[in-house]
Amino acid sequence: MDQQRARITKDGIRIYEDADFAGMRLAGRIAAEILDDVAPLVQVGVTTAALDDFITAEIKRHGVTSATIGYKGYKHASCISVNHVVCHGIPGSKVLVDGDILNIDVTVIVDGWFGDTSRMYVAGALPRKAERLIEVTHESLMRGIAAVKPGNTFGDIGFAIQSYVEANRMSVVRDFCGHGLGRVFHAPPNVLHYGRAGSGPVLEEGMFFTIEPMVNLGRPETKVLADDWTAVTRDKSLSAQFEHSVGVTATGCEIFTASPAGKFHPTWR
């Protein structure tokens, strides 16, 4: 990569250097390892608070920092979103029952770099409709990632996700999106999970961002509960989400948050 090129694009997107990829790899790997390690604990009868306690302890064991504890007053090391909760579910006394699906979202800071990732889990037996939702959501993420390469646009990412999801008679949440990251938690651009092919800023080598589609079995509308965090589907339909942090390379992209144990998808069990 040309080290002399502008570090900020006209759209306000930072261009990172080759050496910066190493920092993101480490932060992403540790975040992914924590999500690997929590997987066996996701069982019927476990509370979401117990899962968060484990994640908090793992962050301490790794000697890294939680990006969410203290962020805008948030008090937990993870967001845990169960069933019709779209995102930002607060860990608490909720006891998992057979057939619950849940997204666990973790962000850590490692030597100043942010690793942000989430994936789906299931307690007990996975209902068929939930299984199909998870499959479509995972595939939509991977199709979005496949659209990441220099010269493509952020609209290409959104189009790849939206067109696949809607072809499967599900809906993409519009109220939340992916985001730039690196040495900050949230930065430009907003990475929409819907859109027109060829629209939006052009992807350039050295951009770092998350892709994190939220997919509903029903309609796309959401609402935020009185706690000012928890977002749920308005029609109470099931929702699923997968998230990776990626960096644009010369020929495509690198996934920073790939699961070291191959547990990114619930079918690993």
Short mmCIF file of all heavy atoms in Angstrom, two decimals, residues 189-237:
data_model
loop_
_atom_site.label_atom_id
_atom_site.label_comp_id
_atom_site.label_asym_id
_atom_site.label_seq_id
_atom_site.Cartn_x
_atom_site.Cartn_y
_atom_site.Cartn_z
N PRO A 189 -17.35 4.46 7.86
CA PRO A 189 -18.69 4.74 7.36
C PRO A 189 -19.75 3.97 8.13
O PRO A 189 -19.44 3.03 8.89
CB PRO A 189 -18.60 4.19 5.94
CG PRO A 189 -17.75 2.96 6.11
CD PRO A 189 -16.71 3.33 7.13
N ASN A 190 -21.02 4.35 7.93
CA ASN A 190 -22.12 3.47 8.29
C ASN A 190 -22.23 2.39 7.22
O ASN A 190 -22.32 2.71 6.03
CB ASN A 190 -23.44 4.25 8.37
CG ASN A 190 -23.50 5.16 9.58
OD1 ASN A 190 -22.85 4.92 10.60
ND2 ASN A 190 -24.27 6.23 9.47
N VAL A 191 -22.18 1.14 7.63
CA VAL A 191 -22.22 0.03 6.69
C VAL A 191 -23.65 -0.51 6.68
O VAL A 191 -24.05 -1.29 7.55
CB VAL A 191 -21.21 -1.07 7.06
CG1 VAL A 191 -21.24 -2.19 6.02
CG2 VAL A 191 -19.81 -0.48 7.17
N LEU A 192 -24.44 -0.07 5.70
CA LEU A 192 -25.84 -0.48 5.61
C LEU A 192 -25.93 -1.90 5.05
O LEU A 192 -25.13 -2.29 4.20
CB LEU A 192 -26.62 0.48 4.71
CG LEU A 192 -26.56 1.96 5.09
CD1 LEU A 192 -27.40 2.78 4.11
CD2 LEU A 192 -27.01 2.19 6.52
N HIS A 193 -26.91 -2.64 5.54
CA HIS A 193 -27.09 -4.02 5.11
C HIS A 193 -28.18 -4.14 4.04
O HIS A 193 -28.75 -5.20 3.83
CB HIS A 193 -27.39 -4.90 6.32
CG HIS A 193 -26.33 -4.79 7.37
ND1 HIS A 193 -26.59 -4.31 8.64
CD2 HIS A 193 -25.00 -5.07 7.32
CE1 HIS A 193 -25.46 -4.31 9.33
NE2 HIS A 193 -24.49 -4.77 8.56
N TYR A 194 -28.43 -3.05 3.38
CA TYR A 194 -29.38 -2.98 2.26
C TYR A 194 -28.88 -1.86 1.35
O TYR A 194 -28.07 -1.02 1.77
CB TYR A 194 -30.80 -2.67 2.75
CG TYR A 194 -30.90 -1.37 3.50
CD1 TYR A 194 -31.27 -0.19 2.83
CD2 TYR A 194 -30.60 -1.28 4.86
CE1 TYR A 194 -31.34 1.02 3.51
CE2 TYR A 194 -30.67 -0.08 5.54
CZ TYR A 194 -31.04 1.06 4.87
OH TYR A 194 -31.10 2.27 5.53
N GLY A 195 -29.31 -1.83 0.12
CA GLY A 195 -28.91 -0.74 -0.75
C GLY A 195 -28.85 -1.13 -2.22
O GLY A 195 -29.17 -2.25 -2.60
N ARG A 196 -28.42 -0.17 -3.02
CA ARG A 196 -28.32 -0.36 -4.46
C ARG A 196 -26.89 -0.69 -4.85
O ARG A 196 -25.94 -0.07 -4.35
CB ARG A 196 -28.76 0.91 -5.20
CG ARG A 196 -30.23 1.23 -5.09
CD ARG A 196 -30.59 2.45 -5.92
NE ARG A 196 -29.91 3.65 -5.45
CZ ARG A 196 -28.88 4.23 -6.04
NH1 ARG A 196 -28.37 3.71 -7.16
NH2 ARG A 196 -28.36 5.33 -5.55
N ALA A 197 -26.73 -1.65 -5.71
CA ALA A 197 -25.41 -1.98 -6.23
C ALA A 197 -24.80 -0.75 -6.89
O ALA A 197 -25.48 -0.02 -7.61
CB ALA A 197 -25.51 -3.13 -7.22
N GLY A 198 -23.53 -0.51 -6.62
CA GLY A 198 -22.83 0.61 -7.22
C GLY A 198 -22.98 1.93 -6.49
O GLY A 198 -22.36 2.92 -6.89
N SER A 199 -23.77 1.97 -5.43
CA SER A 199 -23.99 3.22 -4.69
C SER A 199 -23.05 3.30 -3.49
O SER A 199 -22.47 2.31 -3.06
CB SER A 199 -25.44 3.32 -4.23
OG SER A 199 -25.72 2.32 -3.26
N GLY A 200 -22.92 4.50 -2.95
CA GLY A 200 -22.13 4.68 -1.73
C GLY A 200 -20.65 4.85 -2.00
O GLY A 200 -20.18 4.77 -3.14
N PRO A 201 -19.88 5.06 -0.93
CA PRO A 201 -18.43 5.24 -1.07
C PRO A 201 -17.77 4.01 -1.70
O PRO A 201 -18.22 2.88 -1.53
CB PRO A 201 -17.96 5.43 0.37
CG PRO A 201 -19.16 5.93 1.11
CD PRO A 201 -20.32 5.25 0.47
N VAL A 202 -16.68 4.28 -2.41
CA VAL A 202 -15.92 3.20 -3.04
C VAL A 202 -14.97 2.59 -2.02
O VAL A 202 -14.32 3.30 -1.23
CB VAL A 202 -15.12 3.74 -4.25
CG1 VAL A 202 -14.24 2.66 -4.85
CG2 VAL A 202 -16.08 4.29 -5.30
N LEU A 203 -14.90 1.26 -2.01
CA LEU A 203 -14.01 0.54 -1.11
C LEU A 203 -12.56 0.72 -1.54
O LEU A 203 -12.23 0.62 -2.73
CB LEU A 203 -14.36 -0.94 -1.09
CG LEU A 203 -15.75 -1.28 -0.54
CD1 LEU A 203 -16.16 -2.68 -0.96
CD2 LEU A 203 -15.76 -1.17 0.98
N GLU A 204 -11.70 0.96 -0.55
CA GLU A 204 -10.27 1.11 -0.80
C GLU A 204 -9.48 0.23 0.14
O GLU A 204 -9.89 0.00 1.29
CB GLU A 204 -9.84 2.57 -0.60
CG GLU A 204 -10.47 3.57 -1.54
CD GLU A 204 -9.93 4.96 -1.31
OE1 GLU A 204 -8.70 5.10 -1.12
OE2 GLU A 204 -10.74 5.91 -1.30
N GLU A 205 -8.35 -0.23 -0.33
CA GLU A 205 -7.45 -1.01 0.52
C GLU A 205 -7.11 -0.22 1.77
O GLU A 205 -6.83 0.98 1.72
CB GLU A 205 -6.18 -1.34 -0.26
CG GLU A 205 -5.19 -2.21 0.51
CD GLU A 205 -3.91 -2.46 -0.25
OE1 GLU A 205 -3.80 -1.97 -1.41
OE2 GLU A 205 -3.02 -3.11 0.30
N GLY A 206 -7.19 -0.89 2.93
CA GLY A 206 -6.86 -0.24 4.19
C GLY A 206 -8.06 0.24 4.98
O GLY A 206 -7.91 0.75 6.09
N MET A 207 -9.27 0.08 4.45
CA MET A 207 -10.47 0.40 5.23
C MET A 207 -10.78 -0.75 6.18
O MET A 207 -10.70 -1.92 5.81
CB MET A 207 -11.67 0.62 4.31
CG MET A 207 -11.61 1.89 3.49
SD MET A 207 -13.09 2.05 2.42
CE MET A 207 -12.83 3.70 1.76
N PHE A 208 -11.13 -0.42 7.43
CA PHE A 208 -11.54 -1.41 8.43
C PHE A 208 -12.98 -1.11 8.84
O PHE A 208 -13.31 0.05 9.14
CB PHE A 208 -10.66 -1.32 9.70
CG PHE A 208 -9.21 -1.64 9.50
CD1 PHE A 208 -8.29 -1.26 10.48
CD2 PHE A 208 -8.74 -2.33 8.39
CE1 PHE A 208 -6.95 -1.56 10.34
CE2 PHE A 208 -7.40 -2.63 8.24
CZ PHE A 208 -6.49 -2.24 9.22
N PHE A 209 -13.82 -2.14 8.90
CA PHE A 209 -15.22 -1.92 9.30
C PHE A 209 -15.87 -3.24 9.67
O PHE A 209 -15.32 -4.31 9.42
CB PHE A 209 -16.02 -1.22 8.19
CG PHE A 209 -15.91 -1.86 6.84
CD1 PHE A 209 -16.75 -2.88 6.45
CD2 PHE A 209 -14.95 -1.42 5.92
CE1 PHE A 209 -16.66 -3.47 5.19
CE2 PHE A 209 -14.85 -1.99 4.66
CZ PHE A 209 -15.71 -3.02 4.30
N THR A 210 -17.04 -3.14 10.28
CA THR A 210 -17.83 -4.34 10.59
C THR A 210 -18.93 -4.50 9.57
O THR A 210 -19.43 -3.53 8.99
CB THR A 210 -18.47 -4.27 11.99
OG1 THR A 210 -19.51 -3.28 11.99
CG2 THR A 210 -17.44 -3.95 13.06
N ILE A 211 -19.30 -5.75 9.34
CA ILE A 211 -20.52 -6.10 8.62
C ILE A 211 -21.31 -6.97 9.57
O ILE A 211 -20.80 -7.97 10.08
CB ILE A 211 -20.24 -6.84 7.30
CG1 ILE A 211 -19.26 -6.04 6.42
CG2 ILE A 211 -21.54 -7.11 6.55
CD1 ILE A 211 -18.87 -6.77 5.15
N GLU A 212 -22.56 -6.61 9.88
CA GLU A 212 -23.29 -7.27 10.96
C GLU A 212 -24.79 -7.31 10.70
O GLU A 212 -25.57 -6.73 11.46
CB GLU A 212 -22.99 -6.60 12.29
CG GLU A 212 -23.07 -5.08 12.27
CD GLU A 212 -22.61 -4.46 13.58
OE1 GLU A 212 -23.30 -4.68 14.61
OE2 GLU A 212 -21.58 -3.76 13.58
N PRO A 213 -25.22 -7.97 9.63
CA PRO A 213 -26.65 -7.95 9.30
C PRO A 213 -27.53 -8.53 10.39
O PRO A 213 -27.22 -9.57 10.98
CB PRO A 213 -26.72 -8.80 8.02
CG PRO A 213 -25.50 -9.66 8.07
CD PRO A 213 -24.45 -8.82 8.71
N MET A 214 -28.62 -7.84 10.66
CA MET A 214 -29.68 -8.31 11.53
C MET A 214 -30.86 -8.67 10.63
O MET A 214 -31.31 -7.83 9.84
CB MET A 214 -30.07 -7.24 12.53
CG MET A 214 -29.03 -7.00 13.61
SD MET A 214 -28.89 -5.26 14.09
CE MET A 214 -27.71 -4.66 12.87
N VAL A 215 -31.35 -9.89 10.74
CA VAL A 215 -32.38 -10.40 9.86
C VAL A 215 -33.57 -10.87 10.69
O VAL A 215 -33.40 -11.59 11.68
CB VAL A 215 -31.84 -11.56 8.99
CG1 VAL A 215 -32.94 -12.16 8.12
CG2 VAL A 215 -30.68 -11.07 8.12
N ASN A 216 -34.77 -10.47 10.29
CA ASN A 216 -35.99 -10.85 10.99
C ASN A 216 -36.81 -11.84 10.17
O ASN A 216 -36.88 -11.72 8.95
CB ASN A 216 -36.86 -9.62 11.26
CG ASN A 216 -36.18 -8.60 12.16
OD1 ASN A 216 -35.19 -8.89 12.82
ND2 ASN A 216 -36.72 -7.39 12.18
N LEU A 217 -37.46 -12.77 10.87
CA LEU A 217 -38.38 -13.66 10.18
C LEU A 217 -39.61 -12.92 9.69
O LEU A 217 -40.22 -13.30 8.70
CB LEU A 217 -38.82 -14.80 11.12
CG LEU A 217 -38.02 -16.09 11.09
CD1 LEU A 217 -38.60 -17.11 12.07
CD2 LEU A 217 -37.96 -16.69 9.68
N GLY A 218 -39.96 -11.85 10.40
CA GLY A 218 -41.13 -11.06 10.02
C GLY A 218 -40.72 -9.75 9.38
O GLY A 218 -39.83 -9.71 8.53
N ARG A 219 -41.36 -8.68 9.80
CA ARG A 219 -41.10 -7.37 9.23
C ARG A 219 -39.81 -6.76 9.79
O ARG A 219 -39.35 -7.17 10.84
CB ARG A 219 -42.29 -6.44 9.48
CG ARG A 219 -43.56 -6.89 8.75
CD ARG A 219 -44.67 -5.85 8.90
NE ARG A 219 -44.24 -4.53 8.47
CZ ARG A 219 -44.20 -4.12 7.20
NH1 ARG A 219 -44.57 -4.94 6.23
NH2 ARG A 219 -43.80 -2.89 6.90
N PRO A 220 -39.25 -5.74 9.11
CA PRO A 220 -37.96 -5.20 9.54
C PRO A 220 -38.03 -4.19 10.69
O PRO A 220 -36.99 -3.88 11.28
CB PRO A 220 -37.44 -4.51 8.27
CG PRO A 220 -38.68 -4.11 7.53
CD PRO A 220 -39.67 -5.22 7.79
N GLU A 221 -39.22 -3.70 11.03
CA GLU A 221 -39.31 -2.62 12.01
C GLU A 221 -38.87 -3.07 13.41
O GLU A 221 -39.16 -4.20 13.83
CB GLU A 221 -40.72 -2.06 12.08
CG GLU A 221 -41.16 -1.31 10.83
CD GLU A 221 -41.68 -2.23 9.73
OE1 GLU A 221 -41.86 -3.44 10.00
OE2 GLU A 221 -41.92 -1.75 8.61
N THR A 222 -38.22 -2.16 14.12
CA THR A 222 -37.78 -2.43 15.49
C THR A 222 -38.25 -1.31 16.41
O THR A 222 -38.70 -0.26 15.96
CB THR A 222 -36.25 -2.51 15.56
OG1 THR A 222 -35.69 -1.19 15.38
CG2 THR A 222 -35.67 -3.47 14.54
N LYS A 223 -38.14 -1.56 17.70
CA LYS A 223 -38.34 -0.50 18.69
C LYS A 223 -37.37 -0.72 19.82
O LYS A 223 -36.96 -1.86 20.11
CB LYS A 223 -39.78 -0.47 19.19
CG LYS A 223 -40.21 -1.71 19.98
CD LYS A 223 -41.64 -1.55 20.49
CE LYS A 223 -42.08 -2.79 21.27
NZ LYS A 223 -43.47 -2.65 21.77
N VAL A 224 -36.96 0.37 20.47
CA VAL A 224 -36.04 0.30 21.60
C VAL A 224 -36.85 0.40 22.88
O VAL A 224 -37.71 1.27 23.03
CB VAL A 224 -35.00 1.42 21.52
CG1 VAL A 224 -34.08 1.40 22.76
CG2 VAL A 224 -34.16 1.30 20.24
N LEU A 225 -36.58 -0.51 23.82
CA LEU A 225 -37.33 -0.56 25.07
C LEU A 225 -36.94 0.58 26.02
O LEU A 225 -36.02 1.35 25.74
CB LEU A 225 -37.12 -1.92 25.73
CG LEU A 225 -37.52 -3.14 24.90
CD1 LEU A 225 -37.38 -4.42 25.72
CD2 LEU A 225 -38.96 -3.00 24.37
N ALA A 226 -37.63 0.65 27.14
CA ALA A 226 -37.45 1.76 28.07
C ALA A 226 -36.06 1.83 28.68
O ALA A 226 -35.66 2.88 29.21
CB ALA A 226 -38.50 1.66 29.19
N ASP A 227 -35.29 0.72 28.60
CA ASP A 227 -33.92 0.76 29.14
C ASP A 227 -32.96 1.52 28.23
O ASP A 227 -31.79 1.71 28.57
CB ASP A 227 -33.39 -0.66 29.39
CG ASP A 227 -33.35 -1.53 28.14
OD1 ASP A 227 -33.23 -1.00 27.03
OD2 ASP A 227 -33.44 -2.77 28.29
N ASP A 228 -33.45 1.96 27.07
CA ASP A 228 -32.68 2.74 26.09
C ASP A 228 -31.58 1.95 25.39
O ASP A 228 -30.75 2.53 24.68
CB ASP A 228 -32.07 4.01 26.72
CG ASP A 228 -33.11 5.05 27.06
OD1 ASP A 228 -34.15 5.09 26.37
OD2 ASP A 228 -32.91 5.81 28.03
N TRP A 229 -31.58 0.65 25.57
CA TRP A 229 -30.61 -0.21 24.90
C TRP A 229 -31.28 -1.30 24.07
O TRP A 229 -31.01 -1.43 22.88
CB TRP A 229 -29.67 -0.88 25.93
CG TRP A 229 -28.64 0.04 26.49
CD1 TRP A 229 -28.65 0.62 27.73
CD2 TRP A 229 -27.45 0.51 25.85
NE1 TRP A 229 -27.55 1.42 27.90
CE2 TRP A 229 -26.79 1.36 26.76
CE3 TRP A 229 -26.88 0.28 24.60
CZ2 TRP A 229 -25.59 1.99 26.46
CZ3 TRP A 229 -25.67 0.91 24.28
CH2 TRP A 229 -25.05 1.75 25.21
N THR A 230 -32.14 -2.08 24.69
CA THR A 230 -32.67 -3.29 24.07
C THR A 230 -33.57 -2.97 22.88
O THR A 230 -34.59 -2.30 23.02
CB THR A 230 -33.47 -4.11 25.10
OG1 THR A 230 -32.66 -4.33 26.25
CG2 THR A 230 -33.88 -5.44 24.50
N ALA A 231 -33.18 -3.46 21.70
CA ALA A 231 -33.99 -3.28 20.49
C ALA A 231 -34.67 -4.59 20.16
O ALA A 231 -34.03 -5.65 20.16
CB ALA A 231 -33.12 -2.83 19.32
N VAL A 232 -35.98 -4.54 19.91
CA VAL A 232 -36.75 -5.75 19.63
C VAL A 232 -37.52 -5.57 18.32
O VAL A 232 -37.72 -4.45 17.84
CB VAL A 232 -37.75 -6.05 20.78
CG1 VAL A 232 -37.02 -6.27 22.09
CG2 VAL A 232 -38.79 -4.94 20.91
N THR A 233 -37.95 -6.69 17.75
CA THR A 233 -38.81 -6.62 16.57
C THR A 233 -40.19 -6.14 16.99
O THR A 233 -40.74 -6.60 18.00
CB THR A 233 -38.92 -7.99 15.89
OG1 THR A 233 -39.39 -8.96 16.84
CG2 THR A 233 -37.57 -8.46 15.37
N ARG A 234 -40.75 -5.24 16.21
CA ARG A 234 -42.08 -4.71 16.57
C ARG A 234 -43.16 -5.79 16.49
O ARG A 234 -44.13 -5.75 17.25
CB ARG A 234 -42.44 -3.54 15.65
CG ARG A 234 -41.75 -2.25 16.03
CD ARG A 234 -42.32 -1.07 15.29
NE ARG A 234 -41.75 0.19 15.77
CZ ARG A 234 -42.23 0.89 16.79
NH1 ARG A 234 -43.31 0.47 17.43
NH2 ARG A 234 -41.66 2.02 17.16
N ASP A 235 -42.98 -6.74 15.58
CA ASP A 235 -44.00 -7.78 15.43
C ASP A 235 -43.70 -9.04 16.23
O ASP A 235 -44.36 -10.06 16.09
CB ASP A 235 -44.21 -8.12 13.95
CG ASP A 235 -42.95 -8.68 13.30
OD1 ASP A 235 -41.93 -8.90 14.00
OD2 ASP A 235 -42.98 -8.90 12.07
N LYS A 236 -42.67 -8.96 17.10
CA LYS A 236 -42.25 -10.07 17.98
C LYS A 236 -41.71 -11.28 17.21
O LYS A 236 -41.60 -12.37 17.76
CB LYS A 236 -43.40 -10.50 18.90
CG LYS A 236 -43.92 -9.40 19.81
CD LYS A 236 -42.86 -8.95 20.81
CE LYS A 236 -43.38 -7.85 21.72
NZ LYS A 236 -44.41 -8.31 22.64
N SER A 237 -41.39 -11.10 15.93
CA SER A 237 -40.80 -12.20 15.17
C SER A 237 -39.36 -12.43 15.60
O SER A 237 -38.70 -11.53 16.15
CB SER A 237 -40.86 -11.91 13.67
OG SER A 237 -40.09 -10.77 13.35
#
